[in-house]
Amino acid sequence: MIERNRRRAAQGSVNAMYDLAMGLYDRYRLLGDPADLLDGIAQLRTAIGYVPDHPVRHVLQVGLCSLLQDHFLSFGDVSALHESLAGCDASLPLLDGENRLVAAMVRGETLILLAEHGRDPAYAAEAVEWASRLPRVPAARYVLGKALYIQYELTRDHAVLVTAARVLEESVRATPVDDLDHALRLNQLGDVLQRSAEHTGDESVRERAVRYLREAVARTPSTSPARLSHKVDLAAALRDRGRRTGDVAALREGVALLREVLEATRPDDHAWDNRCENYLIAVQDLVEQTGEIDVLDRAVETGRSARGVGGGPGMIPLLLGLLHHERFLHTGLEGDLGQAIAAYTEVVETVPYGERTHAVALGNLGRVWFSAYDANGSPEALRRSVTALGSAARASAPGTTERAETQFNHGGALYAQYELTRDPGVLAAAGRALREAAETEALQPLTRAKAARRWARTEAEAGRWDRARDAYAVAVGLLPFVVPRRLARVDQQRLLAELDGLAADAAACAVQANDPETAVRLLELGRGVLGGQVLQSRGDLSRLHAVAPELAERLGAAFDRLSPAGHLVGAAADERHDLDIRLRHLLDEARALPGFADFLAPPDLDELLETAADGPVVLINVSGYRSDALVIRPSGVTVVELPGVTPDSVADRAAAFGTALAASARPGAGETGAQTTAAEVLGWLWDFVTEPVLRRLGYTSRPADAWPRVWWSPVGRLALLPIHAAGRFPDGASVLDRVMSSYTPTVRALRHARARHTRADDDLVVVAVEDARGARPLRGVGREASRIAALTRATRLDGAQATADAVRAALTSHTSAHFACHAASDPDDPSAGHLLLHDGPLSVLDVSALDLTGVRLAVLSACETSLGAHRVPDESLHLVSAFQLAGYPQVVGTLWQVNDLVARTVAVDLHEGVSAGEDVATALHHAVHRCRERFDKTPTLWAAYLHSGR
């Protein structure tokens, strides 16, 4: 068709020239060859010259105006827009009907581009006013929606953006999906919704934006220039998702999309700089989460090649400053610090005050000066940081994320200044700035939680303990939003590690405010957050089912589909994010029903106290403010002060104990010293932690008859030490001689364990893996399995039979399980800790995802099955807790690597006691007692074994 029209146009046919121009323009939109656009413009200019006085001239002129817009978008020549506007103004009075409508829409589009290019509110207002008068047809509504969007970009009036979204939704709904413009309008709607989500922090709006933008990319031909622009918009939405939720997979996908776009964009293309800016922003966010310096280095080189005209004055230097600062934070290279300061200073000095870029640069300059202070302690660097951040805060609109982020950094700098000056006015100013950041709902939850924690610190420093308690409660209350279910478990762990110790400090401030009950609640809400999500999903829906069965079904299905998972990308990730948001709405809907306000909420204090009916639960809290044991009994909460316990003293003992464990596992002269060190740590635990508690409880001697039980729930790094084995060895007093010890990660986990119902029968599956791929042989596991299986009705899964699938199936059909195999913890990713089966690992994450009913006991006769992670000790992310989450009310495990012979002895002894009628905790207590008598001078051999659960 194009060639036929070209032949006819060459013969002087004006109609053919017009048809040829439109055909070339359509091909340009599909294939992106600028030559087609230029040829089409030339054809229309020629056609106009042929008809100087004919009415068709004005139709041709409008077609030319439309192509001139694309000429500007491709080549950045603003004179093309002015020519387009003049052409529309000249032709409009002489057109009618459909032609007049087309001309009016082209004029509106031209005004939008002029407003966007020149950042001119007058053009934006004129575009909105002009488009508002157009008929309510899909194409005209699209123009109005775009005009409103650019008006928002220049005014930051969110009401305008809401109207833009409504208008664009109307346009999209009325446009057939097979229309070439459908994807274009869908993308514009997604872009508007994305900006709205950035403004308000509304996750549901952002997820709608991601879906629309992803669909727009999919519906746009791969050869179309628009597809690259759509990818840029999708990447921006994914970046916002990753930045606000901590979803690294979303950040990676966004960076990959933008890298594809840059590689497909010519360096001389007008859009290259803007796309480069988007890429640099996305890389900075990714590296901030992952520390991938190679990705950052590549981005720096790309940014240096940009001309710096795409997003307005100063954008490229601003973004290069971000990257240099990020690299300094990860590498400590002073050259990057200097380059960041120089880049931000250049922007501050060249961009007019009042411009958004100027305020952003001021805020970033303040951050980098604070990094300089942090690195070298220079008071002048701190003064510059406070000044720049204060100026940036004043230049930012209240209630915006930009203002809240600046106030977060400003508050931190002011607190550092207070530490130098001890000026109470500076401390109060720091608290005000941090409180504002914490209370800004549009700010990402992690930053809000950090801000609330720092705000609480200012109140504690001022001695206002009740206010500190309340501020800490804000921070703790944000934790479920910091680690939503939609995230991969590794992302959840990483984010929680940034708030390590939060629950302990919150509880300590509550105790200092003479409010131990709130201290218990804060410890419950601030620890075991990930396990709490699983427990909530396993909650009883029967009460809701009786009142609202359809709602209960939807809730149950949502919980099932949101079990802990690894990274997801693309549409699968979109679905998980959307499902998590819908789950929250379903819970809100259920809690709005009469009598359901506390539905699936964490237990209240009375319920927590009832959990201690069979024996006290002791929360051992360690904080820089103070350390205490909070003893929970049905009658209330008792505080036992532990003045000799500090975070540093616990860290020192944990490190010494870890060194001793490593040395004790190596035959040689160091073994005796290692055992001495281990005994000294156990003695310290007795003197400073457990003896004061047992004395307060009245357990001051060995019981004459029934052993009393105590449930220990240590907080923070204290959970890495064997509280149950504390004592003065070999001949002094000890916990083991006073009480039977059990553990629970949280009180609600113990409450859940006690609520589990087991089947009346007691059948056992014994899993024994002697030779696992890549691990040393365990020659004694066969004998261990045989002796245990002979005690009761048991199913054996030995060697090649012990596959992951076979084990999962056996766990669903047996009341109890015994594992004799290798296990390993993973300090970097505790959810990857695993039992090593014949065909590979069965991980903490795998086990946590199981939902078993009617089960009773899991014995993990393997190494490190109850060893938590140093980075997130309060989450109890190990195999013992995973089996409890899977449904086992009682689990026996180990804190460190165990000797094969001792493991077999304790395991058989345990099962013999259970077969003789002892409960599990009693049987393990006696088994460890006998093992201690045999190895009284080597505590590392017997102290590893523990009981967790009811």
Side-chain angles (χ1 to χ4, degrees):
M1 182 68 74
I2 286 178
E3 291 309 314
R4 186 179 69 181
N5 282 325
R6 192 180 296 281
R7 289 193 297 271
R8 291 179 57 215
Q11 297 169 2
S13 169
V14 171
N15 288 338
M17 293 177 194
Y18 178 79
D19 291 341
L20 173 59
M22 293 301 104
L24 290 166
Y25 180 52
D26 287 342
R27 189 166 72 180
Y28 164 74
R29 291 178 68 190
L30 287 172
L31 302 179
D33 186 350
D36 283 336
L37 177 63
L38 295 174
D39 195 358
I41 290 172
Q43 293 295 329
L44 286 171
R45 291 193 188 282
T46 301
I48 290 170
Y50 270 66
V51 286
D53 300 316
H54 195 282
V56 76
R57 171 189 177 90
H58 304 295
V59 176
L60 297 172
Q61 183 68 50
V62 172
L64 175 61
C65 291
S66 181
L67 268 65
L68 286 171
Q69 293 175 7
D70 282 84
H71 185 280
F72 164 76
L73 292 173
S74 291
F75 301 102
D77 182 2
V78 72
S79 66
L81 293 181
H82 290 294
E83 181 183 352
S84 175
L85 186 61
C88 289
D89 288 341
S91 299
L92 266 166
L94 302 172
L95 292 169
D96 55 18
E98 183 69 22
N99 290 330
R100 182 178 178 83
L101 174 61
V102 170
M105 290 190 295
V106 171
R107 185 179 191 274
E109 295 263 17
T110 304
L111 288 168
I112 291 167
L113 291 172
L114 283 166
E116 185 176 28
H117 174 76
R119 314 301 293 173
D120 190 333
Y123 273 128
E126 184 181 355
V128 170
E129 192 277 332
W130 177 264
S132 297
R133 291 186 280 149
L134 298 176
R136 297 177 71 93
V137 297
R141 302 306 281 172
Y142 172 59
V143 174
L144 175 58
K146 288 204 297 181
L148 289 163
Y149 180 38
I150 191 60
Q151 188 174 53
Y152 161 78
E153 286 289 300
L154 298 175
T155 65
R156 298 291 167 179
D157 184 347
H158 186 250
V160 173
L161 197 61
V162 172
T163 304
R166 177 176 53 77
V167 169
L168 287 165
E169 283 180 312
E170 184 181 330
S171 174
V172 168
R173 284 196 302 268
T175 305
V177 294
D178 58 351
D179 190 310
L180 192 62
D181 288 325
H182 182 267
L184 201 63
R185 295 169 188 173
L186 190 65
N187 187 82
Q188 186 68 50
L189 172 58
D191 204 18
V192 165
L193 291 173
Q194 165 59 19
R195 295 296 283 151
S196 182
E198 283 185 355
H199 189 105
T200 64
D202 190 325
E203 294 179 312
S204 60
V205 172
R206 183 188 61 239
E207 294 312 316
R208 284 174 59 208
V210 171
R211 290 199 308 275
Y212 291 153
L213 292 167
R214 198 180 294 283
E215 184 180 352
V217 171
R219 289 186 177 277
T220 304
S222 59
T223 55
S224 171
R227 186 178 173 93
L228 295 179
S229 297
H230 295 347
K231 283 185 176 182
V232 172
D233 292 334
L234 173 59
L238 291 168
R239 167 187 169 264
D240 190 49
R241 173 195 283 176
R243 189 166 183 268
R244 291 180 183 275
T245 68
D247 185 346
V248 168
L251 293 173
R252 288 193 196 286
E253 185 182 0
V255 168
L257 282 169
L258 290 165
R259 193 73 224 176
E260 289 174 14
V261 168
L262 277 183
E263 289 172 354
T265 304
R266 301 185 319 277
D268 61 347
D269 191 305
H270 176 64
W272 197 90
D273 273 3
N274 180 266
R275 291 168 180 178
C276 178
E277 290 165 11
N278 278 276
Y279 169 67
L280 299 183
I281 294 170
V283 167
Q284 192 271 335
D285 281 323
L286 175 63
V287 176
E288 185 177 27
Q289 301 283 352
T290 66
E292 296 172 4
I293 300 301
D294 56 332
V295 176
L296 192 151
D297 290 343
R298 184 179 184 187
V300 169
E301 293 306 313
T302 300
R304 285 174 177 163
S305 66
R307 298 188 305 277
V309 298
M315 277 302 295
I316 291 296
L318 177 71
L319 297 175
L320 283 172
L322 274 176
L323 296 181
H324 282 298
H325 187 202
E326 193 65 43
R327 188 157 63 186
F328 168 78
L329 293 175
H330 288 285
T331 67
L333 295 173
E334 291 189 6
D336 279 308
L337 190 64
Q339 290 192 66
I341 290 173
Y344 293 142
T345 301
E346 174 191 339
V347 179
V348 169
E349 291 176 349
T350 57
V351 175
Y353 182 84
E355 292 277 346
R356 180 168 179 262
T357 303
H358 184 275
V360 172
L362 267 176
N364 286 329
L365 182 59
R367 287 181 62 234
V368 76
W369 275 121
F370 189 79
S371 293
Y373 165 72
D374 215 24
N376 58 38
S378 166
E380 175 61 16
L382 180 58
R383 185 194 66 77
R384 292 189 179 198
S385 173
V386 170
T387 301
L389 288 165
S391 298
R394 289 189 292 274
S396 304
T400 62
T401 54
E402 291 92 344
R403 162 90 175 194
E405 287 173 354
T406 301
Q407 287 291 68
F408 170 68
N409 292 309
H410 189 210
L414 284 168
Y415 190 86
Q417 193 172 60
Y418 162 76
E419 289 182 310
L420 290 181
T421 65
R422 312 310 291 180
D423 184 337
V426 174
L427 180 65
R432 287 193 298 272
L434 292 164
R435 180 172 186 169
E436 180 183 341
E439 293 179 345
T440 302
E441 293 186 2
L443 192 61
Q444 68 176 127
L446 176 61
T447 305
R448 288 184 66 196
K450 288 180 176 179
R453 186 180 195 175
R454 293 183 183 181
W455 162 34
R457 188 179 175 189
T458 68
E459 300 291 0
E461 180 68 21
R464 295 188 288 262
W465 296 106
D466 54 343
R467 294 186 184 183
R469 172 202 60 199
D470 295 343
Y472 270 119
V474 172
V476 171
L478 286 166
L479 286 175
F481 303 97
V482 172
V483 287
R485 296 169 188 270
R486 73 197 76 164
L487 292 185
R489 175 56 67 84
V490 67
D491 286 340
Q492 292 177 317
Q493 294 165 178
R494 175 177 48 78
L495 293 168
L496 285 173
E498 296 196 43
L499 296 168
D500 181 34
L502 171 62
D505 288 342
C509 283
V511 174
Q512 194 72 11
N514 198 29
D515 187 3
E517 292 78 13
T518 295
V520 169
R521 288 281 291 156
L522 290 172
L523 284 175
E524 282 300 292
L525 294 173
R527 297 186 305 146
V529 177
L530 303 181
Q533 291 178 349
V534 176
L535 292 180
Q536 185 189 49
S537 69
R538 309 277 163 84
D540 185 8
L541 298 178
S542 60
R543 187 164 68 97
L544 179 64
H545 203 280
V547 175
E550 191 270 339
L551 177 58
E553 291 292 336
R554 284 190 289 150
L555 254 177
F559 278 133
D560 288 344
R561 292 166 62 190
L562 279 169
S563 59
H567 280 303
L568 297 173
V569 295
D574 298 348
E575 181 182 7
R576 189 172 176 89
H577 279 263
D578 186 61
L579 187 61
D580 189 16
I581 294 168
R582 281 190 280 141
L583 174 62
R584 292 186 188 178
H585 292 324
L586 291 172
L587 285 170
D588 290 342
E589 186 179 342
R591 290 167 183 167
L593 296 173
F596 282 83
D598 60 349
F599 177 68
L600 295 185
D604 60 25
L605 182 64
D606 289 340
E607 292 170 321
L608 295 175
L609 297 180
E610 290 172 5
T611 304
D614 296 331
V617 179
V618 182
L619 309 180
I620 310 173
N621 191 53
V622 181
S623 165
Y625 295 121
R626 59 180 292 160
S627 297
D628 306 274
L630 303 175
V631 181
I632 301 173
R633 289 176 285 193
S635 58
V637 180
T638 301
V639 177
V640 180
E641 296 184 27
L642 304 175
V645 181
T646 66
D648 286 344
S649 65
V650 170
D652 289 345
R653 268 64 182 194
F657 199 79
T659 301
L661 288 174
S664 69
R666 295 190 297 268
E671 287 184 88
T672 300
Q675 297 300 333
T676 299
T677 299
E680 288 173 351
V681 173
L682 295 179
W684 180 87
L685 283 172
W686 170 257
D687 292 342
F688 291 96
V689 179
T690 57
E691 192 279 335
V693 173
L694 296 181
R695 183 171 7 102
R696 179 66 66 88
L697 288 170
Y699 304 144
T700 57
S701 61
R702 188 183 182 102
D705 41 33
W707 285 86
R709 286 191 69 181
V710 171
W711 277 264
W712 303 102
S713 186
V715 177
R717 282 158 185 75
L718 198 59
L720 304 174
L721 294 172
I723 304 296
H724 66 285
R728 282 295 173 187
F729 299 106
D731 303 319
S734 69
V735 173
L736 200 61
D737 293 319
R738 301 278 178 89
V739 296
M740 283 195 311
S741 295
S742 293
Y743 287 84
T744 184
T746 60
V747 184
R748 67 185 182 278
L750 179 59
R751 182 171 178 268
H752 178 76
R754 286 181 169 164
R756 305 295 290 188
H757 298 289
T758 60
R759 296 197 298 265
D761 56 341
D762 187 16
D763 54 330
L764 175 71
V765 58
V766 180
V767 180
V769 183
E770 181 176 310
D771 289 303
R773 189 181 309 119
R776 66 175 178 82
L778 296 173
R779 299 306 182 198
V781 299
R783 292 192 298 276
E784 177 180 331
S786 297
R787 290 188 61 184
I788 291 170
L791 296 171
T792 185
R793 181 161 54 92
T795 300
R796 297 275 299 272
L797 291 177
D798 294 320
Q801 297 174 310
T803 64
D805 287 342
V807 167
R808 288 192 189 93
L811 295 180
T812 64
S813 57
H814 293 77
T815 306
S816 299
H818 181 97
F819 288 86
C821 59
H822 275 293
S825 60
D826 187 330
D828 295 322
D829 180 8
S831 291
H834 56 270
L835 295 167
L836 192 54
L837 303 179
H838 174 74
D839 59 344
L842 184 69
S843 73
V844 168
L845 195 62
D846 296 331
V847 176
S848 299
L850 299 174
D851 187 6
L852 306 173
T853 57
V855 291
R856 174 180 175 232
L857 169 66
V859 178
L860 310 180
S861 183
C863 298
E864 300 180 346
T865 54
S866 188
L867 179 61
H870 285 76
R871 293 171 60 239
V872 279
D874 281 336
E875 286 306 298
S876 299
L877 294 171
H878 44 65
L879 285 162
V880 166
S881 64
F883 273 88
Q884 281 191 276
L885 291 175
Y888 290 92
Q890 301 189 81
V891 185
V892 173
T894 60
L895 273 169
W896 54 81
Q897 292 187 7
V898 291
N899 176 274
D900 294 352
L901 174 61
V902 173
R904 182 168 73 250
T905 301
V906 172
V908 172
D909 206 354
L910 165 69
H911 282 282
E912 286 178 343
V914 172
S915 296
E918 292 181 332
D919 62 74
V920 177
T922 301
L924 181 66
H925 180 74
H926 291 158
V928 172
H929 245 297
R930 287 187 282 268
C931 189
R932 187 187 70 174
E933 291 170 1
R934 184 176 178 184
F935 303 105
D936 63 331
K937 291 183 174 57
T938 52
T940 62
L941 290 179
W942 55 264
Y945 297 91
L946 58 81
H947 173 270
S948 185
R950 66 184 178 90

